[in-house]
Amino acid sequence: MWLFTMMTMLLAGFAPGSRGDRYVLRPESRMSIRGSSTVNRFTCESAELGGMGWLTDTGAPQLTLDVPARSFDCGDGRMNRDMYRALKVDAHPTIHFTLRAVQPIDRVVAGRQKMQVTGELTIAGVTRPVELTVDGQRLDDGTLRAAGEAPLKMSDFGIRPPSAMMGLIRAHDDIQVRFDLVAAPESAEKPVNQAPSRAAVEPR
């Protein structure tokens, strides 16, 4: 059962009146969009994660995650502009995830456990169901970590893959949305501002 609790605590903290200890995200928490184009591979990363997690009276986990679409940094100004245009950030400034179900895949071994997570992801104003495998871990110091990824297609969210040079350079439709969330007990450390976004453009 601690795994379900961990998934709800790996965000900003429990809602008032909910059960359990309050946890806060650490600044190393990240979400990224990874993909490729006809000339290179790219990673657009954000460290500006926010949301809320809590347990219902029945013990079921509830969780939401919000990421400002304009916070993603691809490591190149022109690529950033193309990405923001594709994500329609002016009309839809937030990428949103809502947890629907968590199912353990295996047993807890050395504080680690894999789980199947299903939810709804909203990008560019379009909501689609997603399913991903998450690796959860409880460290000796009480820190909690959850990492996973989901393969997606930009076109499923009504996004036209960005292009440049009169269409000679074009991003491929397939992308990977990855996250790495780290949280610590609020009593163990004070909340801190998130670090600036980091990104890299990787040669093919």
Side-chain angles (χ1 to χ4, degrees):
M1 179 58 71
W2 70 263
L3 180 60
F4 298 100
T5 305
M6 183 190 76
M7 282 302 297
T8 66
M9 292 190 297
L10 276 172
L11 289 174
F14 281 101
S18 62
R19 298 172 296 172
D21 297 327
R22 181 179 175 88
Y23 276 59
V24 294
L25 280 177
R26 295 183 57 167
E28 56 264 40
S29 297
R30 294 288 187 274
M31 177 175 283
S32 66
I33 298 173
R34 302 188 180 193
S36 63
S37 72
T38 51
V39 298
N40 64 14
R41 298 181 184 276
F42 61 87
T43 298
C44 303
E45 188 172 86
S46 173
E48 298 182 24
L49 311 182
M52 182 63 67
W54 64 96
L55 292 174
T56 65
D57 291 339
T58 62
Q62 302 290 323
L63 178 149
T64 63
L65 177 66
D66 293 301
V67 185
R70 200 178 289 274
S71 69
F72 284 93
D73 183 0
C74 306
D76 178 88
R78 178 172 294 181
M79 187 178 294
N80 284 348
R81 290 193 295 272
D82 291 342
M83 177 65 71
Y84 299 156
R85 187 180 303 113
L87 293 177
K88 308 170 187 177
V89 297
D90 291 335
H92 306 287
T94 303
I95 294 174
H96 179 78
F97 174 77
T98 299
L99 176 72
R100 294 305 182 195
V102 179
Q103 180 65 42
I105 296 176
D106 55 16
R107 295 181 178 180
V108 178
V109 178
R112 303 186 68 164
Q113 185 178 32
K114 289 187 179 298
M115 54 192 165
Q116 198 72 21
V117 174
T118 57
E120 295 176 351
L121 181 64
T122 301
I123 303 178
V126 176
T127 301
R128 292 284 184 266
V130 294
E131 183 175 293
L132 62 155
T133 300
V134 175
D135 185 8
Q137 183 178 14
R138 180 194 293 272
L139 304 180
D140 292 339
D141 63 358
T143 300
L144 305 178
R145 186 170 190 172
E149 65 179 33
L152 303 173
K153 290 184 179 294
M154 285 189 263
S155 57
D156 288 343
F157 294 87
I159 298 173
R160 183 176 181 179
S163 63
M165 300 293 291
M166 303 296 291
L168 295 177
I169 301 175
R170 180 176 295 276
H172 297 143
D173 194 18
D174 294 307
I175 58 174
Q176 292 276 342
V177 174
R178 298 184 179 185
F179 66 88
D180 189 348
L181 305 179
V182 183
E186 188 176 42
S187 58
E189 65 176 63
K190 296 179 180 179
V192 296
N193 294 329
Q194 295 285 17
S197 299
R198 301 176 304 177
V201 178
E202 306 165 0
R204 173 176 289 188

